[in-house]
Amino acid sequence: MFKDKLTEDLKAAMKAGDVQKRDVLRMLQSAIKNKEIEKREPLTEEELQKVVAKEIKNRKKAIELFKQG
């Protein structure tokens, strides 16, 4: 399952000392958890993919705005 893989990747990043990857995975887990709380039930794989896509889009937009500013 996707959430299990996320958790495994987070643990690996923490052990490797990869701060950037660790922070990204934590933000992603947080976004998923918030969506589950909003929905009040676990997300399907399709809904998980939508959350991930939305977060990617948000980060790309933030990067563009930062470069413009």
Side-chain angles (χ1 to χ4, degrees):
M1 192 160 159
F2 184 74
K3 286 174 39 175
D4 296 333
K5 176 73 171 133
L6 255 175
T7 303
E8 291 173 20
D9 289 346
L10 178 59
K11 288 179 185 178
M14 291 171 72
K15 287 180 183 177
D18 190 347
V19 177
Q20 186 176 7
K21 186 174 182 179
R22 180 199 68 199
D23 291 347
V24 169
L25 292 172
R26 282 184 177 168
M27 278 193 288
L28 190 54
Q29 280 186 329
S30 176
I32 291 169
K33 186 163 183 91
N34 288 339
K35 190 67 173 177
E36 286 178 336
I37 290 170
E38 180 184 315
K39 189 179 174 191
R40 298 184 182 183
E41 61 184 46
L43 299 177
T44 64
E45 291 294 317
E46 184 178 312
E47 291 169 330
L48 285 170
Q49 290 176 355
K50 287 180 182 179
V51 170
V52 172
K54 181 180 175 188
E55 291 300 312
I56 291 170
K57 183 179 176 183
N58 287 346
R59 300 301 174 259
K60 286 182 179 179
K61 186 174 181 179
I63 290 169
E64 284 181 32
L65 292 174
F66 180 77
K67 287 180 180 178
Q68 290 175 2

